[in-house]
Amino acid sequence: MSEPRPPFPPFDEHSARQKVRAAEDAWNTRDPERVALAYTEDSVWRNRDTFLTGRAEIVAFLRQKWARELDYALRKELWAYAGNRIAVRFEYESRDAAGQWWRSYGNELWEFDESGLTRRREAGIHDVPIGPEERRIFGARGDSAVQ
């Protein structure tokens, strides 16, 4: 059983922004176990062409992801919200083992249960190679407060 994760649905603009920022902060830790706690035990994911079910699969996926995507840094932005759903636009930067930097863009659709845990995540992501001089995301945001 998981601890509830406020804010809870139905979301208003402020609580949706809080939820997005909490997700960004957690993902920027690159800690798969911590990130997975925000999802239901039986959460269903689509990440690109990968389909996952449950926290154990999420943790394994994130471990592999962050072993490949070095110096990962992410920004998420609220796109829309309604009831128990939130849509997010995101981008992140990382480098591979050969030193090539990448910027990855995408959209996520989230659906939450009544305790504020994500029960469904759909993500479409596109990768673009960039030079080190093109980077614009350097680590987590300093202040985690939502405006």
Side-chain angles (χ1 to χ4, degrees):
M1 181 87 176
S2 295
E3 293 292 318
R5 290 287 176 132
F8 306 112
F11 299 109
D12 59 19
E13 183 176 357
H14 180 72
S15 62
R17 287 187 190 285
Q18 286 179 311
K19 204 63 142 172
V20 171
R21 187 56 183 271
E24 177 185 308
D25 290 347
W27 279 68
N28 275 321
T29 69
R30 298 184 301 268
D31 179 342
E33 287 78 14
R34 176 179 171 186
V35 171
L37 290 175
Y39 297 88
T40 62
E41 291 285 345
D42 60 350
S43 187
V44 175
W45 276 30
R46 180 184 61 77
N47 193 87
R48 302 175 193 248
D49 61 350
T50 301
F51 297 83
L52 309 168
T53 302
R55 280 197 191 142
E57 289 185 17
I58 291 168
V59 167
F61 172 84
L62 292 174
R63 281 188 185 137
Q64 292 174 353
K65 170 185 177 63
W66 289 320
R68 286 186 322 273
E69 296 176 351
L70 307 174
D71 297 321
Y72 173 97
L74 166 74
R75 297 293 182 269
K76 290 185 183 280
E77 187 179 315
L78 177 65
W79 192 262
Y81 62 92
N84 70 336
R85 294 181 175 161
I86 295 176
V88 175
R89 177 208 166 278
F90 66 89
E91 66 180 86
Y92 65 87
E93 294 175 352
S94 63
R95 66 176 175 80
D96 60 27
Q100 174 63 58
W101 281 95
W102 297 88
R103 184 171 300 125
S104 301
Y105 298 94
N107 300 296
E108 290 176 301
L109 306 175
W110 301 336
E111 183 178 80
F112 296 88
D113 72 3
E114 59 283 344
S115 65
L117 296 172
T118 308
R119 67 176 161 212
R120 185 173 180 163
R121 174 185 178 265
E122 302 274 339
I125 307 166
H126 304 281
D127 303 310
V128 178
I130 61 172
E133 71 284 356
E134 296 175 273
R135 291 185 59 211
R136 56 183 184 222
I137 304 174
F138 299 91
R141 294 184 207 237
D143 176 14
S144 64
V146 175
Q147 304 300 321

